[in-house]
Amino acid sequence: MKLHEALNKKIGLGTAPLGNLYRKVSEEEAQETIQNAWDQGIRYFDTAPLYGSGLSEMRLGEALSDKKRSDYLISSKVGRIILDETEEKSGLYKDARQNKILTDYSEDATLLSIEDSLNRLNTDYLDMVFVHDISPDFLGDEWITKFDEARNGAFKVLDRLRDEGVIKSWGLGVNTTIPIEVVMELEEANPDLSLTATQYTLMQHDRALERMMPPAEKTGKKIVIGAPYNSGALLGGDHFNYQPASEEVKKQAQQLKQIADKHGISLKAAALQFSTAHPAVSAVIPGSTRPSRIKEDLSAMQESIPAAFWQELISKGLVSEKAPLPK
């Protein structure tokens, strides 16, 4: 399947939750979620070795094993090697597989990561590859050193694989904007599709709008939007950008909900349509472990939103007046 054909609905499925993010998800629930997404017409699936220490990839590979490979797109990520050695898990993926994870952006590790992902996904190729979490939120001050490691390793490998036709696109997959801003300025690397989670959403978009989107649009590089609900905070959840939501964040979400209710629309519709309205955005990939949510997301993409809703958000400083709005 050609890239633009799979992304033309502007919505795919993010499968981080299927790696037991936040909670333990049964195999039956995971398989039902992916099958439901397929039945609803979703043909783009994003995953990563990090998600459950390979669990998300394994579940996705199982669910798609009876589907014609040319009928869908898969993006996965490099930068993490799943080891045979085990450890007790904690944090976001406390219910993941117990395998230890090694962070490595070198050439050899990139090739090994792709090979391992292919095995877990039960496929012989990946469509898009993102260099994962090469960002200060995961690596702290070490991110610059690791970025240099990737520049001399992963970036060169992925440029070559795309030139050879082995993959269709590559870029970064991060929860911040700065690494994407930096990589777009490099002369020796040419990423064409990056994934930014939490950063171009209804709740948070100023920096992305000012610093990341303009060079992407100018150079024709495309962006996939992950975590459009900011880890669930927008819809009343307890997490914002993968951390506990503050009272200020909860208040912002409540204010948005009140305005949406006033105009008779769903916040899901506003969130998904806002994130996909920018011309640099190719797709949005909300994640879910609830099969029924897929249909909700697709319906939300088609919901009619009155212009008065957006104008009220702008007048109250909740949305930038510079942001492209859904038509």
Side-chain angles (χ1 to χ4, degrees):
M1 175 174 285
K2 293 181 179 179
L3 189 63
H4 72 275
E5 290 175 349
L7 301 184
N8 63 4
K9 288 189 177 180
K10 288 240 178 193
I11 189 166
L13 180 68
T15 65
L18 301 182
N20 289 355
L21 176 67
Y22 302 132
R23 71 179 182 90
K24 190 171 184 177
V25 177
S26 71
E27 191 64 30
E28 181 181 9
E29 189 178 4
Q31 295 302 316
E32 187 181 353
T33 297
I34 300 167
Q35 184 60 50
N36 187 269
W38 182 274
D39 292 343
Q40 296 294 330
I42 297 292
R43 294 296 182 267
Y44 169 33
F45 303 87
D46 176 73
T47 186
L50 176 68
Y51 304 158
S53 296
L55 182 60
S56 169
E57 289 185 318
M58 294 166 69
R59 286 174 161 173
L60 191 58
E62 173 66 24
L64 298 177
S65 61
D66 62 342
K67 310 291 191 288
K68 185 179 177 182
R69 182 61 182 89
S70 59
D71 284 347
Y72 61 90
L73 296 178
I74 292 180
S75 59
S76 193
K77 303 176 182 75
V78 297
R80 304 274 186 19
I81 301 296
I82 310 301
L83 305 176
D84 292 332
E85 187 181 350
T86 61
E87 64 181 358
E88 190 73 24
K89 296 290 182 177
S90 62
L92 297 177
Y93 285 103
K94 63 182 177 61
D95 293 313
R97 295 169 73 226
Q98 300 294 293
N99 301 66
K100 281 188 174 181
I101 298 175
L102 174 68
T103 300
D104 192 333
Y105 300 97
S106 67
E107 178 176 353
D108 288 346
T110 298
L111 292 170
L112 177 59
S113 178
I114 291 174
E115 182 180 349
D116 288 347
S117 287
L118 293 176
N119 288 331
R120 287 189 292 266
L121 286 162
N122 220 3
T123 187
D124 55 2
Y125 68 93
L126 298 174
D127 298 283
M128 298 94 82
V129 177
F130 300 120
V131 184
H132 205 190
D133 289 333
I134 192 162
S135 176
D137 62 315
F138 267 88
L139 300 172
D141 293 339
E142 191 186 5
W143 88 269
I144 296 175
T145 301
K146 285 294 187 181
F147 190 94
D148 284 338
E149 180 179 89
R151 187 170 62 178
N152 293 304
F155 296 177
K156 291 183 177 180
V157 171
L158 296 175
D159 257 340
R160 185 176 76 240
L161 292 178
R162 188 187 53 207
D163 290 346
E164 293 172 352
V166 177
I167 61 176
K168 294 181 176 73
S169 291
W170 77 271
L172 303 193
V174 291
N175 303 329
T176 59
T177 67
I178 295 174
I180 296 176
E181 295 164 24
V182 173
V183 79
M184 285 192 291
E185 295 176 355
L186 295 180
E187 292 184 2
E188 72 270 26
N190 188 29
D192 59 297
L193 180 73
S194 288
L195 190 163
T196 179
T198 74
Q199 296 298 304
Y200 193 73
T201 69
L202 196 61
M203 295 190 79
Q204 178 173 296
H205 53 266
D206 286 341
R207 173 158 185 126
L209 190 61
E210 294 174 8
R211 304 290 295 274
M212 183 179 69
M213 293 306 201
E217 191 174 2
K218 182 178 179 180
T219 59
K221 300 182 191 303
K222 293 297 184 179
I223 303 291
V224 172
I225 305 298
Y229 313 132
N230 292 93
S231 306
L234 178 70
L235 304 180
D238 295 325
H239 290 86
F240 175 75
N241 297 359
Y242 308 108
Q243 300 294 327
S246 67
E247 288 305 314
E248 183 181 359
V249 163
K250 290 179 180 179
K251 184 178 178 181
Q252 181 188 2
Q254 289 168 359
Q255 190 176 6
L256 288 165
K257 176 72 163 58
Q258 289 170 357
I259 297 172
D261 288 347
K262 172 184 169 183
H263 290 274
I265 65 161
S266 69
L267 263 184
K268 266 196 173 187
L272 295 177
Q273 292 186 38
F274 175 84
S275 289
T276 54
H278 198 288
V281 172
S282 283
V284 62
I285 48 170
S288 179
T289 56
R290 309 290 188 191
S292 61
R293 300 270 170 82
I294 309 297
K295 189 173 183 178
E296 286 180 13
D297 291 342
L298 287 166
S299 296
M301 288 289 286
Q302 304 301 320
E303 191 173 324
S304 179
I305 301 177
F309 168 77
W310 300 111
Q311 291 308 312
E312 183 166 351
L313 294 190
I314 291 171
S315 69
K316 292 183 175 177
L318 293 169
V319 162
S320 171
E321 60 184 11
K322 299 177 183 177
L325 298 174
K327 294 186 170 56

